[in-house]
Amino acid sequence: MPEAASAAAVRATIGASEFDRDTAVTRRAPGVYDLDLSAGWTIINAVNGGYLLAVLGRALGDALPHPDPFTISAHYLTASRPGPAVVRTETVRTGRTLSTGQASLFQYDDEGNEVERIRVLASYGDLDALPDDVRTSAKPPVIPPMDQCFGPEDGPAPVEGSSAITDRLMLKLDPATLGWALGQPSGRGEMRAWFGLADGRDADPLSLLLAVDALPPTAFELGLKGWVPTVELTAHVRCRPAPGPLRVAITTRNLAGGFLEEDAEVWDSADRLVAQSRQLARVRLG
Amino acid sequence: MPEAASAAAVRATIGASEFDRDTAVTRRAPGVYDLDLSAGWTIINAVNGGYLLAVLGRALGDALPHPDPFTISAHYLTASRPGPAVVRTETVRTGRTLSTGQASLFQYDDEGNEVERIRVLASYGDLDALPDDVRTSAKPPVIPPMDQCFGPEDGPAPVEGSSAITDRLMLKLDPATLGWALGQPSGRGEMRAWFGLADGRDADPLSLLLAVDALPPTAFELGLKGWVPTVELTAHVRCRPAPGPLRVAITTRNLAGGFLEEDAEVWDSADRLVAQSRQLARVRLG
């Protein structure tokens, strides 16, 4: 048996990893893609919204003339379930620098009728074609070294329900934002973590769409429990990420009227701000 | 002549103001609305993106079972011009608390063919039905009193081109974010202002869609000149605004690769964070 086949020693690569296989789509006809939503990306029994966004992002990347999602806005309509699905895309406009597309993910009801799960609008471009000017005033989040941070494997799962996604992520939370797991939420709407894929696959624009919605919700640190379903999430991918772990910081400034916004910033190992997102989510005040 | 008819003394009201007339849509058929884009809301010769968003927001508010835009994402495709237009809406999903719709605004080319200008996805709800819990950590922006702030009427227009919109807005910029107008941009991606409609009409959810895109671009304070076209803008309306002037703060953290994000917060006179937005815009580095 060749040395490279020793599972623990093999780092997965972009294009040949579990994330790539589980977000793969098969073109059935122009703009129509079949796929199977994996049960491996569930969080508290629900299919993770960032994983779903990556699936739609992959289909649009195939359908549009530009490869990379620059800005993608998703409205979540009904709860997705692991299993067969179809994505239908529409090319809205093609330009020299950007093209715009729309996509919907459908599953099937008991009679086999299509039920729409998510609809997205997105503008795509080519990250590699951008000039390399950077005039950002943002600073990377300050997170302790990875070995001083904590993941789901470091303690009993604090949340009920199957969360298969935790096996597929390298997620190490800043202890300063872990009060919720000890029954002592900080009251601040902040969560910070080191983020990667557990099999060592490096980040790319599609996995950034996963990264923006993969941390425990800020609502936990605000003292809320239970499900915080996303109504809408918009992500901007600003740069192709360098190899190595990402840092993700999410922030909520306004919890009001049963809704909250959650802003995410994703930084790569080269200290580039590679993605930003904002979502509107509903909260159950308990 | 009755006293109230003295023009200067009459405050316009919600539903009977220039903004309401200029965003009015006429239902031609279910989900199809005719309208005329007013030349009164141009900025540097372009139709203001927030005004366009308000027009689409009004059409969707008629088409959907819920009245208020909770989250609306717009992708700007081609430049709109003053004149006739049609909005076509689609009801994507209706639920008890939220309904989701899509809308596109079209104009006509020389042969009379429809050309799509903007496409939006939006989820609507009823702001008046929300519980009044507020657990926000955000603080209103600190802006000097209005009489210490400056509007377009206080100096020569620093930007070339027709900007009819300035006659219709009450816009008073914080002097701390006015360096660009004096040829001394601060280098910080910040702009703050008091905001209202010039005819005294109070704010409502639709005029908040205007407010989030009505200030001079943060790019000016970053030392850039010229046009900063919006690729995509998503706005969340979080609360029905109280009467009185609004405070708007916009911020850019990441100017890179020829793109920037611009975040807006809108606060009402009761110190409620009533709207948040983020847009991705292209910059011309000059």
Side-chain angles (χ1 to χ4, degrees):
Chain A
M1 184 166 146
E3 195 176 85
S6 160
V10 177
R11 279 173 64 96
T13 54
I14 294 173
S17 74
E18 192 161 37
F19 174 76
D20 294 289
R21 288 188 293 277
D22 287 351
T23 56
V25 297
T26 304
R27 180 157 43 176
R28 181 206 300 178
V32 183
Y33 300 86
D34 292 306
L35 65 125
D36 214 68
L37 291 179
S38 162
W41 303 87
T42 50
I43 175 92
I44 323 176
N45 296 320
V47 181
N48 173 264
Y51 163 67
L52 294 167
L53 196 59
V55 168
L56 285 153
R58 194 180 289 283
L60 278 170
D62 186 84
L64 294 173
H66 292 92
D68 301 312
F70 277 26
T71 168
I72 180 165
S73 302
H75 286 248
Y76 292 80
L77 307 169
T78 57
S80 299
R81 289 185 287 256
V86 60
V87 171
R88 299 180 181 279
T89 68
E90 174 195 351
T91 299
V92 177
R93 176 182 173 269
T94 62
R96 193 169 54 86
T97 309
L98 294 172
S99 52
T100 300
Q102 177 173 323
S104 293
L105 187 145
F106 299 88
Q107 291 191 300
Y108 308 95
D109 67 13
D110 291 342
E111 282 80 44
N113 302 309
E114 289 187 355
V115 180
E116 191 169 355
R117 300 298 193 207
I118 315 170
R119 187 177 293 205
V120 307
L121 273 179
S123 291
Y124 273 56
D126 182 355
L127 288 172
D128 297 329
L130 297 183
D132 57 5
D133 61 289
V134 179
R135 293 169 63 175
T136 185
S137 65
K139 299 272 178 268
V142 177
I143 307 180
M146 218 179 292
D147 61 6
Q148 296 169 30
C149 293
F150 297 93
E153 66 283 4
D154 297 313
V159 177
E160 300 281 329
S162 162
S163 291
I165 193 172
T166 56
D167 295 336
R168 285 164 182 74
L169 302 182
M170 186 288 290
L171 193 62
K172 290 288 188 182
L173 288 159
D174 183 339
T177 65
L178 255 180
W180 59 276
L182 307 168
Q184 296 175 319
S186 69
R188 295 185 302 271
E190 297 176 7
M191 200 75 73
R192 291 182 292 274
W194 293 95
F195 176 90
L197 290 164
D199 60 10
R201 176 197 188 274
D202 280 318
D204 70 348
L206 288 182
S207 76
L208 293 179
L209 302 182
L210 173 68
V212 297
D213 196 32
L215 269 58
T218 51
F220 288 178
E221 274 296 81
L222 291 169
L224 307 174
K225 290 172 182 171
W227 188 229
V228 189
T230 304
V231 176
E232 172 267 328
L233 187 154
T234 298
H236 301 172
V237 176
R238 303 295 301 274
C239 181
R240 188 174 303 283
L246 302 169
R247 285 155 293 173
V248 182
I250 56 176
T251 313
T252 293
R253 290 165 52 81
N254 190 39
L255 162 59
F259 288 82
L260 56 75
E261 98 286 2
E262 199 179 273
D263 285 3
E265 283 191 1
V266 185
W267 294 76
D268 72 6
S269 62
D271 279 356
R272 275 291 299 264
L273 179 49
V274 291
Q276 292 169 291
S277 76
R278 176 174 287 167
Q279 65 172 274
L280 184 71
R282 293 175 67 174
V283 292
R284 308 274 183 251
L285 296 176
Chain B
M1 185 165 145
E3 195 174 84
S6 158
V10 177
R11 279 171 65 93
T13 55
I14 294 172
S17 74
E18 192 160 38
F19 175 75
D20 294 288
R21 287 188 292 277
D22 287 351
T23 56
V25 296
T26 304
R27 178 155 47 176
R28 180 206 301 178
V32 184
Y33 299 87
D34 291 306
L35 64 126
D36 215 68
L37 290 179
S38 161
W41 303 86
T42 49
I43 173 95
I44 323 178
N45 295 323
V47 181
N48 173 265
Y51 164 66
L52 294 166
L53 196 58
V55 167
L56 284 153
R58 193 180 289 284
L60 278 169
D62 185 85
L64 293 172
H66 292 92
D68 301 313
F70 277 27
T71 168
I72 181 164
S73 302
H75 287 248
Y76 292 80
L77 307 170
T78 56
S80 299
R81 290 185 286 255
V86 60
V87 171
R88 299 181 181 278
T89 69
E90 175 195 351
T91 299
V92 177
R93 176 184 173 268
T94 61
R96 194 169 53 85
T97 308
L98 294 172
S99 52
T100 300
Q102 178 174 322
S104 293
L105 186 145
F106 299 88
Q107 291 190 300
Y108 309 94
D109 67 13
D110 291 342
E111 282 79 45
N113 302 309
E114 288 187 355
V115 180
E116 191 168 355
R117 299 298 192 205
I118 315 170
R119 188 177 293 206
V120 307
L121 273 179
S123 291
Y124 273 57
D126 182 355
L127 288 171
D128 296 329
L130 297 183
D132 56 5
D133 62 288
V134 179
R135 292 169 65 175
T136 185
S137 65
K139 299 272 178 267
V142 177
I143 307 181
M146 216 178 294
D147 61 7
Q148 295 170 30
C149 293
F150 297 92
E153 67 282 4
D154 296 314
V159 177
E160 299 282 328
S162 162
S163 291
I165 193 173
T166 56
D167 295 334
R168 283 163 183 76
L169 302 182
M170 186 287 292
L171 194 63
K172 288 288 188 182
L173 287 158
D174 183 339
T177 65
L178 256 179
W180 59 276
L182 308 169
Q184 297 176 318
S186 69
R188 295 185 302 272
E190 298 175 6
M191 200 74 73
R192 291 182 294 274
W194 294 95
F195 177 90
L197 291 163
D199 59 12
R201 176 198 188 272
D202 281 317
D204 70 349
L206 288 182
S207 75
L208 293 179
L209 301 182
L210 172 69
V212 298
D213 196 31
L215 268 59
T218 52
F220 288 177
E221 273 296 83
L222 290 168
L224 307 175
K225 290 172 182 172
W227 188 227
V228 190
T230 304
V231 176
E232 172 267 326
L233 187 154
T234 297
H236 300 172
V237 176
R238 303 295 301 274
C239 181
R240 188 174 302 284
L246 302 168
R247 284 157 294 173
V248 182
I250 58 176
T251 314
T252 294
R253 289 163 55 80
N254 190 39
L255 162 59
F259 289 82
L260 56 76
E261 97 287 2
E262 198 178 273
D263 286 3
E265 284 192 359
V266 184
W267 294 76
D268 71 5
S269 61
D271 277 356
R272 277 290 301 265
L273 179 48
V274 292
Q276 292 169 290
S277 76
R278 176 174 288 166
Q279 65 173 275
L280 183 71
R282 294 176 67 176
V283 291
R284 308 273 183 255
L285 295 176

